[in-house]
Every structure is written in structure tokens, then in C-alpha cells.
């Protein structure tokens, strides 16, 4: 009923509803203890690494013991292990690692608060059924203080004009008929651009509107911003101004995407890692280094045998998930640590790279797992590829979907297949299909690799 009413309203009233929604959400996120958390992270930036690690352990034990007291599910786990309280890492590591399937199957006994007391968040569901997470108001205020403190380092403050590229479905038929692919929040000056309508025909209208509004910051899916940047660069259709910073979310930023986005939009692409279910933060500093923010959670990097490693699967315990405790949660993302230190003033440990989801790879019987970054580089020297996607369901066969423009030639196809063969070997069967469009997931994310293998 609400959607039907929204669809029938004039655009100006739709913008009003978008603004009202944001006002209500920002009231929850930026009131209460938000200012206290901002001051906390301001003070914590001066902590050296030993102090950060000491506080992290204190927060870890306090959080896990809270979960054992307040969550039926974790209370049962403690009882099965003969634990009453966690006071050491040795005890902590006895707790079982939780998969998304474990959390989903036991979610009702994991919650510590009711729906009416919670701020609700849902995972995108790109790798399975969506998961509804309940946040306490304090935890959500904590998380937004973390983000705002981080963005403050790049000059951003609440109320600056922002271009937001996310998976919200806000447009009507009238909007698309008028080449209007956005809605506007008047109060916080946020332009929400649809990520479902960006293509070679519409990109011009997005750029025209950006030139009209001139937001200095952009937030959202890097693949969407890349589509606009790539079209603008290829057609010499430029922004009339330069942005200050671009904050990508939800997807791994590929090197070629970063290069095109920075060239077109002008601002620095600033990487950040978290998740809708409440992962602790990994944030990029002004010197281009990624830092694990130890006061937001406990990070474990584990190899294929479940042992601590410098590169492997991320398992986390988030300190801002009191409503839906996540203890030793395997999010299925890969992280590579760095031995570097950084002189930016942030003493948190440095991460060399966030390598994306564990299932973002193509498997070759000849070569093993080829990760997403390596696959994306296949088009580095290929012209005319607007977008591509690899679908794999068996170890000896992939389907390659390509959206091409009029500059794409047989030579480009040969180069693309050559680059794939270099990575996957000669025994892989590759079926090439040319398509007009590759749809995004229901969440609005675009996936280069989709595969259903267990290897």
C-alpha cells in the first residue's frame, strides 16, 4: 500500500518522503550517544598499538560474556563447553566459529532484544537468503560515529552535498520517461542515484545532474560509479568540477575501477570495509593504507586449516552487535595483512588488501583458484567491453557473458580469451555469449563472478 501511494505521488512529494525517511533514520543514528562515540574515537586516535590491543581485549571479553548472559544461543554454547566466563584468549578460541547458516538457523535464540527495541538491518542475500540483524540504538550510533569520524579526515561533515549510488529502488515510470534517475533528500543534501538504470544511454543524464548539483562527495557501489566514469571518459563527457573524495561500499574496488573513478570524478577513492550485519571496520587513511580498527571488533585471519595466518579468511567478533551478537563469525571475505607501519597517526594494524568474498573466484583444474582481482584484469588491454560476468557451476566449464560497445572487434575477443586462458589454462571450456545487459543482484550489487562450486 505504501509503495502504491509513493508511486502515484508527484516527484516533489516523493523527495519529501525520502527526506522524511532520512530525518527519522538520522535521528536514531545521530542522537543518543553519537557525540560521545565521536569524542571517544577522537581520543583513541592518539593511542599507541599496545594500548589499542589492551583495550580491544577488554572489549572482547566484555562483549562475549554479555552474549553468554543475554543470548540463549551463546548461553547454550558456553554450557556445552563448561564455560561460565571468558577471561583469556585460550578460552575464547574454544568457542566454535559461526557461519552465516549457523546464525540464520538459530537467529531467534541469538537475538537479545525485540524488534520494537531495535534498528533493523538486512544483509543483501547475494550468497543466500537475507539475514535480518537487530542493532541496539547505542551500537548504531557507535557505528555511524566511526564512519563520520573516518570521513571527517577527508573534509566531510554532515550536511555536505553527497551523491549516493546504492541499491534503493525509488524511481517511477514517470522518472525514467523524463530521464530522471534520482531522488533528493533536501534536509541532508543527499542525491540518491539509481544503480539499476546506468547504461550507455542514460550515463549522460547522470553526469548532467552531477554537474548541476555538484556534490563534493560520493558514496556507494564502485561498479556503478565506474560505469558512469568509463562512459564519461570514453565519450569525453566530463564533470565541470572535481570531487574531494569517493567512499565505495558493499563491493571490492578493483584497481581499474579506482583508476577510472579517480580520473573522472577527480576525488580520491577511499576504501572502507564493514558489512550490513555489523562487521568491525577496516578504513583507509590519508596515506592510502588500510587499518583494522581494533576498537570496533576482534579480527582473526585464518588459513584453510583454520590456523592464524597473514592471508586468509576473516573471522570476526564485532563489538557493535549487542542486539544480534556475532561471535567468531565467518563472513566469507578474504584479507591479507601487512607488516608495514604507517605514519598517518593511526596506530591500528595495516591491512595490505581486502580481497573480497571467498567465493569470488574462478576454479581451474589446471591452475586452482583464480581470485576476483586477477579475473578483472583480463580486460586491462581489451577495448570495447562495457561489462562482463563469468558463471561457473562445474570445474571444467565457464559461461562468459559480455556487454560490448561498437569499438569491440574480433581482435578484442581473441585478446580477452587469451587473457582468460593465461589464468585458467587450456582445458577450460569457455562459452561466450554477447548480451545487451547483465542484471544486478536484488541488492543492487554487480557481481563479476557467480559460481556454485564447493572446492
Amino acid at each position: 500500500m505504501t509503495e502504491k501511494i509513493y508511486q502515484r505521488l508527484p516527484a516533489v512529494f516523493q523527495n519529501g518522503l525520502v527526506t522524511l525517511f532520512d530525518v527519522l533514520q538520522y535521528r536514531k543514528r545521530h542522537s543518543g550517544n553519537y557525540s560521545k562515540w565521536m569524542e571517544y574515537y577522537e581520543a583513541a586516535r592518539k593511542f599507541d598499538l599496545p594500548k589499542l590491543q589492551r583495550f580491544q581485549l577488554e572489549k572482547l571479553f566484555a562483549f562475549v560474556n554479555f552474549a553468554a548472559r543475554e543470548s540463549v544461543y551463546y548461553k547454550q554454547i558456553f554450557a556445552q563447553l563448561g564455560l561460565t566466563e571468558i577471561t583469556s584468549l585460550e578460552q575464547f578460541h574454544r568457542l566454535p566459529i559461526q557461519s552465516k547458516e549457523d546464525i540464520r538457523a538459530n537467529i531467534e535464540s541469538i537475538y537479545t532484544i525485540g524488534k520494537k527495541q531495535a534498528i533493523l538491518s538486512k544483509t543483501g542475500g547475494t550468497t543466500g537468503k537475507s539475514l535480518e540483524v537487530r542493532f541496539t540504538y547505542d551500537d548504531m550510533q557507535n557505528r555511524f560515529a566511526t564512519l563520520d569520524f573516518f570521513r571527517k579526515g577527508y573534509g566531510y561533515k554532515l550536511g555536505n552535498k553527497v551523491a549516493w549510488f546504492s541499491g534503493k529502488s525509488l524511481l517511477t515510470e514517470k522518472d525514467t520517461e523524463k530521464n530522471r534517475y534520482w531522488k533528493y533528500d533536501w534536509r541532508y543534501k543527499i542525491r540518491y542515484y539509481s544503480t539499476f538504470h546506468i547504461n550507455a544511454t542514460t550515463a549522460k543524464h547522470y553526469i548532467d545532474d552531477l554537474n548541476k548539483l555538484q556534490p563534493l562527495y560520493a558514496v556507494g557501489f564502485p561498479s556503478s560509479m565506474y560505469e558512469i566514469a568509463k562512459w564519461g571518459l570514453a565519450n569525453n563527457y566530463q564533470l565541470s568540477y572535481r570531487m574531494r573524495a569517493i567512499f565505495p561500499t558493499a563491493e571490492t574496488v578493483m584497481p581499474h575501477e579506482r583508476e577510472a573513478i579517480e580520473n573522472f570524478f577527480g576525488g580520491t577513492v577511499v576504501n572502507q570495509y564493514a558489512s550490513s550485519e555489523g562487521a568491525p571496520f577496516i578504513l583507509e587513511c590519508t596515506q592510502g593504507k588500510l587499518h583494522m580498527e581494533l576498537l570496533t571488533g576482534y579480527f582473526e585471519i585464518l588459513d584453510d586449516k583454520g590456523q592464524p595466518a597473514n592471508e586468509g579468511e576473516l573471522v570476526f567478533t564485532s563489538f557493535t552487535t549487542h542486539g544480534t551478537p556475532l561471535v567468531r563469525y565467518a563472513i566469507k571475505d578474504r584479507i591479507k595483512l601487512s607488516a608495514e607501519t604507517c605514519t598517518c597517526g593511526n596506530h591500528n594494524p595495516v591491512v595490505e588488501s581486502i580481497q573480497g568474498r571467498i567465493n569470488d573466484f574462478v576454479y581451474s583444474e589446471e591452475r586452482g583458484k583464480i581470485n576476483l582481482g586477477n579475473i578483472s584484469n583480463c580486460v586491462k588491454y581489451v577495448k570495447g567491453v562495457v561489462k562482463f560476468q563469468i558463471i561457473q557451476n562445474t570445474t571444467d566449464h565457464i559461461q562468459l557473458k559480455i556487454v560490448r560497445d561498437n569499438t569491440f572487434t574480433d581482435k578484442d575477443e581473441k585478446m580477452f580469451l587469451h587473457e582468460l586462458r593465461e589464468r585458467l589454462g587450456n582445458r577450460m571450456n569457455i562459452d561466450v555469449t554477447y548480451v545487451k545487459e547483465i542484471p544486478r543482484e536484488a541488492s543492487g550489487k554487480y557481481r563479476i563472478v557467480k559460481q556454485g562450486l564447493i572446492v
Side-chain angles (χ1 to χ4, degrees), residues 8-191:
R8 292 175 182 175
L9 289 173
V12 65
F13 289 107
Q14 291 172 348
N15 287 332
L17 285 179
V18 168
T19 303
L20 177 61
F21 177 82
D22 276 356
V23 167
L24 295 175
Q25 292 302 310
Y26 274 64
R27 194 172 292 169
K28 296 174 186 176
R29 297 166 179 172
H30 293 82
S31 59
N33 289 322
Y34 170 82
S35 297
K36 182 197 78 172
W37 287 117
M38 282 289 282
E39 292 171 4
Y40 174 78
Y41 289 115
E42 186 86 45
R45 189 54 81 232
K46 300 172 185 176
F47 296 170
D48 60 17
L49 181 58
K51 190 170 185 177
L52 288 166
Q53 291 170 327
R54 187 170 70 251
F55 281 14
Q56 182 195 39
L57 281 185
E58 290 176 4
K59 290 168 80 73
L60 173 67
F61 297 151
F63 178 82
V64 175
N65 290 329
F66 164 87
R69 288 193 310 271
E70 303 298 330
S71 168
V72 172
Y73 179 67
Y74 290 106
K75 191 177 295 183
Q76 290 171 344
I77 289 176
F78 266 55
Q80 290 166 3
L81 295 172
L83 295 170
T84 55
E85 189 179 43
I86 295 290
T87 58
S88 70
L89 283 177
E90 183 182 4
Q91 290 175 318
F92 171 74
H93 288 133
R94 290 175 59 194
L95 299 174
I97 291 174
Q98 304 293 316
S99 68
K100 182 172 282 191
E101 291 71 33
D102 293 327
I103 298 297
R104 186 182 293 117
N106 297 282
I107 192 67
E108 292 299 328
S109 63
I110 291 173
Y111 292 139
T112 65
I113 56 175
K115 255 188 175 182
K116 291 183 179 179
Q117 291 79 46
I119 297 175
L120 303 179
S121 176
K122 289 191 176 185
T123 63
T126 54
T127 57
K129 185 181 176 183
S130 180
L131 178 69
E132 184 174 87
V133 178
R134 298 175 186 173
F135 285 99
T136 66
Y137 279 61
D138 182 62
D139 279 343
M140 189 59 79
Q141 290 152 11
N142 185 337
R143 294 185 69 79
F144 273 85
T146 305
L147 275 176
D148 288 347
F149 176 69
F150 156 63
R151 291 170 181 168
K152 181 181 175 183
Y154 296 88
Y156 169 79
K157 62 181 180 180
L158 196 61
N160 287 146
K161 289 181 183 177
V162 176
W164 204 293
F165 297 88
S166 67
K168 294 180 176 67
S169 182
L170 298 172
L171 303 187
T172 65
E173 286 185 19
K174 284 185 178 180
D175 289 320
T176 55
E177 287 170 3
K178 294 182 177 181
N179 293 316
R180 186 174 57 214
Y181 302 102
W182 48 81
K183 295 297 176 186
Y184 191 53
D185 169 355
W186 301 317
R187 173 67 177 83
Y188 295 107
K189 300 177 184 176
I190 302 171
R191 182 83 89 196

Side-chain angles (χ1 to χ4, degrees), residues 221-259:
F221 299 152
S223 62
S224 297
M225 291 184 269
Y226 171 67
E227 287 183 64
I228 293 171
K230 187 176 180 181
W231 186 91
L233 292 168
N235 292 277
N236 197 29
Y237 204 84
Q238 301 175 357
L239 281 187
S240 60
Y241 74 106
R242 311 306 279 165
M243 288 190 178
R244 290 180 184 168
I246 295 99
F247 303 107
T249 62
E251 299 170 336
T252 303
V253 185
M254 297 294 104
H256 68 279
E257 292 177 334
R258 179 188 284 263
E259 182 180 3

Side-chain angles (χ1 to χ4, degrees), residues 402-419:
I402 301 174
V403 179
R404 57 184 170 175
D405 62 25
N406 56 14
T407 66
F408 188 88
T409 65
D410 291 342
K411 183 180 177 181
D412 292 305
E413 181 185 286
K414 288 178 182 177
M415 176 61 77
F416 198 166
L417 291 175
H418 168 76
E419 293 293 318

Side-chain angles (χ1 to χ4, degrees), residues 392-409:
Q392 183 179 31
N393 292 307
T394 62
T395 58
D396 62 350
H397 178 269
I398 63 171
Q399 181 183 4
L400 173 62
K401 293 183 176 182
I402 301 174
V403 179
R404 57 184 170 175
D405 62 25
N406 56 14
T407 66
F408 188 88
T409 65

Side-chain angles (χ1 to χ4, degrees), residues 348-409:
N348 283 289
V350 176
V351 171
E352 182 174 319
S353 62
I354 302 168
Q355 298 171 335
R357 300 203 68 81
I358 285 175
N359 64 343
D360 281 345
F361 66 86
V362 177
Y363 180 77
S364 162
E365 292 176 339
E366 288 181 70
R367 306 286 172 80
K369 292 181 179 180
I370 314 302
N371 68 34
L372 178 63
N374 209 337
I375 292 296
S376 71
N377 282 336
C378 285
V379 293
K380 196 169 185 179
Y381 304 107
V382 180
K383 296 179 181 178
V385 175
V386 178
K387 201 185 293 185
F388 76 94
Q389 185 177 72
I390 292 175
I391 300 172
Q392 183 179 31
N393 292 307
T394 62
T395 58
D396 62 350
H397 178 269
I398 63 171
Q399 181 183 4
L400 173 62
K401 293 183 176 182
I402 301 174
V403 179
R404 57 184 170 175
D405 62 25
N406 56 14
T407 66
F408 188 88
T409 65

